[in-house]
Amino acid sequence: MKDEKLKRMYLGLPKEVRDQLSFESYAALPEAVIKHLTPFTRKEYKEYLDDTGYFDFPEEDDYLWAEEDNEENFTEDKKMKICHMQAMKQIKELEAQKKALIDFEDNNCQVSYKEDEIKTMSDYDYAKTREGIRELDAKIRAVRCALAAANCVVKVDGFDVTLGEALILLAQLQNEKTQLESLASRKQKRRAVTYNGVVEYCECVYDVDEVKSQLKDLRLRISDLQIAIDRANLTNYIEVDI
């Protein structure tokens, strides 16, 4: 796949996906996965290009949904099967809907009026709001539980760990990287003069150059792990009833 087309396809992905998936990780995925990643309509893609000032709309758009290919045209089985990345996106969307309901409730659960004024009621309904939030919570639980169960069994290529373990490992490696960066930034030996004119030396009891070499290897391992996690999230599917 040509780099320019690949770049256009990446720029057309929703921001939530690009925030979790670097272009390098995206480019490393199999072409079959890239073409079917997070489908969206031609209209949405064109609007995105207009917003970003990127007007070079690709002629080869077989990876886009046609306008008429809306959700109703897909089978129930397909609607229930989503990759892990889509599941995480779905959770964010459901959380956003829940927050919108709570914000509406906070802003409309009271009405103010002056004496002798006719009280104007808002569109807020306590019972319906509670029901809506409970329904959203049930959907969020369903997706989260399915995702958590899959994370316990899906293996990450090249690391012989599950997705759940890989996420923990990634956090641990990031913490280790922070510490090694601090150690690698120091001089092996430095000289200073105290306030009373005494020469004082401070020397690291470890090999700074060796730490720098290990830091380089660690950064590569973190990058490989991130790509492996992204690939696993895009190529493994869960079934959810939402």
Side-chain angles (χ1 to χ4, degrees), residues 14 49 54 64 81 87 98 109 115 119 149 166 188 210 230:
L49 296 180
Y54 199 102
L64 300 175
K81 288 184 178 179
K98 178 181 175 180
C109 63
E115 188 177 1
K119 180 172 62 175
Q188 188 68 51
E210 177 62 23
D230 289 339

Side-chain angles (χ1 to χ4, degrees), residues 19-36:
D19 286 344
Q20 301 178 55
L21 183 66
S22 68
F23 176 70
E24 290 74 17
S25 300
Y26 180 76
L29 295 170
E31 185 171 339
V33 176
I34 291 175
K35 284 189 174 184
H36 295 89

Side-chain angles (χ1 to χ4, degrees), residues 55-79:
F55 296 103
D56 187 14
F57 190 79
E59 294 180 1
E60 299 179 41
D61 54 357
D62 55 341
Y63 53 91
L64 300 175
W65 275 358
E67 292 294 338
E68 64 273 11
D69 291 338
N70 53 41
E71 190 174 352
E72 286 77 20
N73 294 336
F74 291 88
T75 65
E76 187 67 21
D77 183 58
K78 285 186 177 180
K79 286 194 292 184

